[in-house]
Amino acid sequence: MPSKEQLNQLKQQLQQSKQELEEKLSDNGNLGLLRSFAHDSTGELSSFDNHPGDEGTELYEREKDIALYEHARQYVDEINHAIQAMEAGTYGKCEVCQVEIPLERLQAIPTTTFCKVHSPSQNTSQNRPIEEEVISPPFGKFDNDDQNESVIYDAEDTWQEVASFGTSESPSDFAYPPDDYEDMYVESEENIGYVEDYENFVGVDIDGKNITVYPNSQHEKYEDALDEEGIMTTFGDLPQYEHEPYVEED
């Protein structure tokens, strides 16, 4: 336990830190949070004529001020708690296990009322802001492409459709720059509305029979690609017979 003289020194140190911090907050209006709105701190009346990038910067600064203010108020609360423990005669003992806190620890962290083992900072919080469920990337959580070869319309497909109307990216943002500015989004080469290339020009009747090829530019491109590789299909050559080209009979 600290001696009476050491306890007075620690108490004076805490009181001085509290006074300096409160004076600092008073001088800057609680980091500008006394203003009614973020625009007050920049002299703006509205966001109408401001660029979104400038608005984002101001929002970031506002969020930073809030975080710093909360940190400062928490520190003041810890100082008050430590002073109350001094006045109650419990300062210097851990609140959890009642073991004496080493003087070196008290001198390094005068606000502490816990030993090193039971320090609250040892508990890593696993709680995440609820906003992360909204702003987190859809890939992984909402991407169903890898689940049993799912082709359902998921969040990734939603983003691709929105991004097809344009993004802020340029060819320099890609490891393999696309040839067209219409392809400035992830997996832009994916087929839309069909899975396999041949589904764009091959049709069947309601029973899955009477296969019909409808010549178009996609059909020509598909045949040219097969001819270049010297294969019958994109997944390899088919058996010579035409009965059931995809399966073999037992």
Side-chain angles (χ1 to χ4, degrees), residues 146-204:
D146 296 330
Q147 301 179 13
N148 300 323
E149 297 185 355
S150 173
V151 294
I152 65 174
Y153 193 85
D154 55 22
E156 181 184 9
D157 298 316
T158 303
W159 161 247
Q160 289 173 341
E161 184 168 344
V162 173
S164 66
F165 290 92
T167 68
S168 62
E169 295 177 318
S170 66
S172 62
D173 297 318
F174 293 82
Y176 301 97
D179 297 328
D180 197 306
Y181 269 87
E182 298 294 332
D183 301 330
M184 305 299 294
Y185 59 96
V186 178
E187 296 183 351
S188 59
E189 72 281 357
E190 279 189 345
N191 296 326
I192 300 177
Y194 56 95
V195 179
E196 300 294 345
D197 292 338
Y198 58 78
E199 292 179 325
N200 196 33
F201 52 80
V202 175
V204 296

Side-chain angles (χ1 to χ4, degrees), residues 7 15 51 53 68-69 86 113 135 152 179 199 239-240:
L7 194 63
Q15 290 174 336
H51 189 278
L68 292 174
Y69 177 74
M86 290 178 178
T113 54
I135 66 176
I152 65 174
D179 297 328
E199 292 179 325
Q240 295 300 321

Side-chain angles (χ1 to χ4, degrees), residues 3-19:
S3 64
K4 186 176 182 180
E5 181 180 356
Q6 292 170 337
L7 194 63
N8 288 333
Q9 290 178 350
L10 292 171
K11 187 174 183 179
Q12 291 177 1
Q13 182 180 348
L14 289 172
Q15 290 174 336
Q16 182 178 356
S17 298
K18 177 183 177 181
Q19 181 180 354

Side-chain angles (χ1 to χ4, degrees), residues 237-241 243-250:
D237 290 336
L238 298 175
Q240 295 300 321
Y241 56 83
H243 177 57
E244 292 289 348
Y246 298 101
V247 296
E248 295 183 1
E249 295 182 354
D250 295 335

Side-chain angles (χ1 to χ4, degrees), residues 10-43:
L10 292 171
K11 187 174 183 179
Q12 291 177 1
Q13 182 180 348
L14 289 172
Q15 290 174 336
Q16 182 178 356
S17 298
K18 177 183 177 181
Q19 181 180 354
E20 292 176 352
L21 184 55
E22 289 181 337
E23 289 178 354
K24 182 179 179 180
L25 292 176
S26 177
D27 292 341
N28 57 34
N30 289 344
L31 296 173
L33 298 181
L34 293 181
R35 298 178 181 273
S36 60
F37 193 72
H39 285 154
D40 292 347
S41 61
T42 59

Side-chain angles (χ1 to χ4, degrees), residues 42-222:
T42 59
E44 296 284 350
L45 297 179
S46 89
S47 301
F48 182 78
D49 60 344
N50 290 339
H51 189 278
D54 295 332
E55 287 289 300
T57 300
E58 295 301 329
L59 176 61
Y60 166 75
E61 293 296 334
R62 187 74 167 183
E63 292 172 339
K64 186 174 67 175
D65 290 340
I66 293 174
L68 292 174
Y69 177 74
E70 290 181 352
H71 178 75
R73 294 311 309 175
Q74 181 181 356
Y75 187 58
V76 171
D77 292 340
E78 291 175 356
I79 291 176
N80 290 333
H81 183 69
I83 293 176
Q84 290 174 1
M86 290 178 178
E87 296 174 349
T90 59
Y91 184 80
K93 288 186 178 181
C94 177
E95 291 187 10
V96 177
C97 62
Q98 303 302 314
V99 172
E100 291 188 5
I101 303 173
L103 179 61
E104 292 80 3
R105 176 173 173 80
L106 293 176
Q107 291 174 336
I109 315 175
T111 57
T112 187
T113 54
F114 298 91
C115 66
K116 182 178 179 181
V117 175
H118 296 106
S119 174
S121 61
Q122 300 294 325
N123 301 324
T124 303
S125 174
Q126 302 298 325
N127 296 328
R128 303 301 305 165
I130 190 65
E131 290 81 6
E132 287 190 358
E133 296 185 7
V134 179
I135 66 176
S136 60
F139 311 108
K141 185 175 182 180
F142 302 108
D143 183 5
N144 298 298
D145 290 352
D146 296 330
Q147 301 179 13
N148 300 323
E149 297 185 355
S150 173
V151 294
I152 65 174
Y153 193 85
D154 55 22
E156 181 184 9
D157 298 316
T158 303
W159 161 247
Q160 289 173 341
E161 184 168 344
V162 173
S164 66
F165 290 92
T167 68
S168 62
E169 295 177 318
S170 66
S172 62
D173 297 318
F174 293 82
Y176 301 97
D179 297 328
D180 197 306
Y181 269 87
E182 298 294 332
D183 301 330
M184 305 299 294
Y185 59 96
V186 178
E187 296 183 351
S188 59
E189 72 281 357
E190 279 189 345
N191 296 326
I192 300 177
Y194 56 95
V195 179
E196 300 294 345
D197 292 338
Y198 58 78
E199 292 179 325
N200 196 33
F201 52 80
V202 175
V204 296
D205 60 20
I206 194 172
D207 297 319
K209 300 179 180 179
N210 297 323
I211 300 176
T212 305
V213 176
Y214 300 92
N216 57 19
S217 59
Q218 290 291 334
H219 177 230
E220 295 178 0
K221 183 178 179 180
Y222 185 76

